[in-house]
Amino acid sequence: ERSDFTNILTSKTQRTAIPIGVLCQFLLMPLAASIIGRTLLLPYHDPQTMHHLGKHLFLGLVLVGCSPGGTASNLVSLIAGADVALSVLLTTCSTVL
C-alpha cells in the first residue's frame, strides 16, 4: 500500500534503511560471494575429468552475488513476512544506480 512507502520515506529510522540496504547490495553481497567462492569453489576439481570446475563455479557465484535483488527478492520478502515496501524501494534504487 501507499502508506507503507510513506512510512519508510518519512520515518527517520526507516529512512536510513535504504542507504544501508544499497550498501549491502553493492559491497557486502559481492564480497561475501567472493569469500565463499575462494574458500569452497576454487580448490574444487573433478577427479574423473581432471577439469578445474572451481574457476567456472567461482565466476558464476560472484556474478550472482553482484546482481542486486529483483522480483524474486520481493517475493521472498513477502513469503518471509519482511518489509516488502522496503524491498521494492531497494530494488528500485539498485535498478536506477
Side-chain angles (χ1 to χ4, degrees):
E1 290 186 29
R2 187 180 185 127
S3 62
D4 293 337
F5 292 104
T6 55
N7 287 341
I8 292 173
L9 295 175
T10 57
S11 172
K12 287 184 180 180
T13 57
Q14 289 284 334
R15 225 179 329 177
T16 59
I18 296 172
I20 291 171
V22 170
L23 186 71
C24 288
Q25 282 183 338
F26 287 105
L27 291 178
L28 192 63
M29 282 177 49
L31 181 65
S34 178
I35 290 171
I36 291 170
R38 287 181 191 272
T39 56
L40 297 178
L41 297 177
L42 281 181
Y44 175 77
H45 106 92
D46 190 8
Q48 292 179 348
T49 60
M50 299 304 288
H51 288 268
H52 296 283
L53 296 175
K55 294 178 185 176
H56 304 293
L57 294 173
F58 172 74
L59 181 61
L61 181 68
V62 171
L63 286 174
V64 169
C66 290
S67 304
T71 55
S73 70
N74 299 334
L75 178 64
V76 170
S77 296
L78 178 67
I79 292 170
D83 194 352
V84 179
L86 179 62
S87 177
V88 170
L89 282 173
L90 287 174
T91 301
T92 304
C93 290
S94 65
T95 302
V96 169
L97 291 175

